[in-house]
Amino acid sequence: MPTPAHVRGLLARAGLRATQQRVLILGGLLALRDHPTAEQVHRQVAAEAPTLSLGTVYKALDSFVVAGLVKRVAVADGAARRYDADCSPHHHLFCTATQEILDYRDPQLDALIQEFLAARGFENFQPHSFSLHITGEKIIRSA
């Protein structure tokens, strides 16, 4: 679990006031580290803040997205918003069987995509970043 001082520093650098609720919510998100839903973050912090509403968690997470502290992760079925505290460039593999989201980094793939985008060009559109979301299922092999 990240320290409250660390979380307050992250909020300050993002230009957000470090309220007690925001510190708890961002700390809870950072502690989960697996692309949680707002409901999972809410459960994570409920013991420390039993009166904290789910609506407050959603509002805080959305403010973190706007400030660039967190990214919203698309899920194939769109059923729940998921959040990622890792804002570095990476892609996501989504397992439809387990609902697990795995981070995926591949500089060679990134270079291919950048070359493709540069070669194609888009009328009236300049891409600044990209992230792939690949849906499938984990294959479990027995020994």
Side-chain angles (χ1 to χ4, degrees), residues 10-11 13-16 22 60-71 87:
L10 292 173
L11 289 165
R13 283 191 291 284
L16 296 172
R22 283 182 178 160
L61 290 170
D62 288 342
S63 71
F64 300 160
V65 170
V66 170
L69 271 175
V70 170
K71 288 188 177 182
C87 291

Side-chain angles (χ1 to χ4, degrees), residues 44 47 83 120 138:
Q44 175 77 14
Y83 297 90
R120 292 287 193 269
K138 289 169 69 174

Side-chain angles (χ1 to χ4, degrees), residues 99-118:
Q99 304 298 297
E100 183 179 9
I101 298 174
L102 304 169
D103 289 339
Y104 178 72
R105 289 174 174 77
D106 186 331
Q108 187 176 5
L109 175 62
D110 294 347
L112 285 171
I113 293 171
Q114 288 170 340
E115 290 171 19
F116 177 85
L117 293 174

Side-chain angles (χ1 to χ4, degrees), residues 39 55 63 74 82 92 96 112 115 129 141:
E39 290 81 2
S63 71
R82 305 273 294 264
H92 292 110
T96 55
L112 285 171
E115 290 171 19
S129 66
R141 300 185 197 279

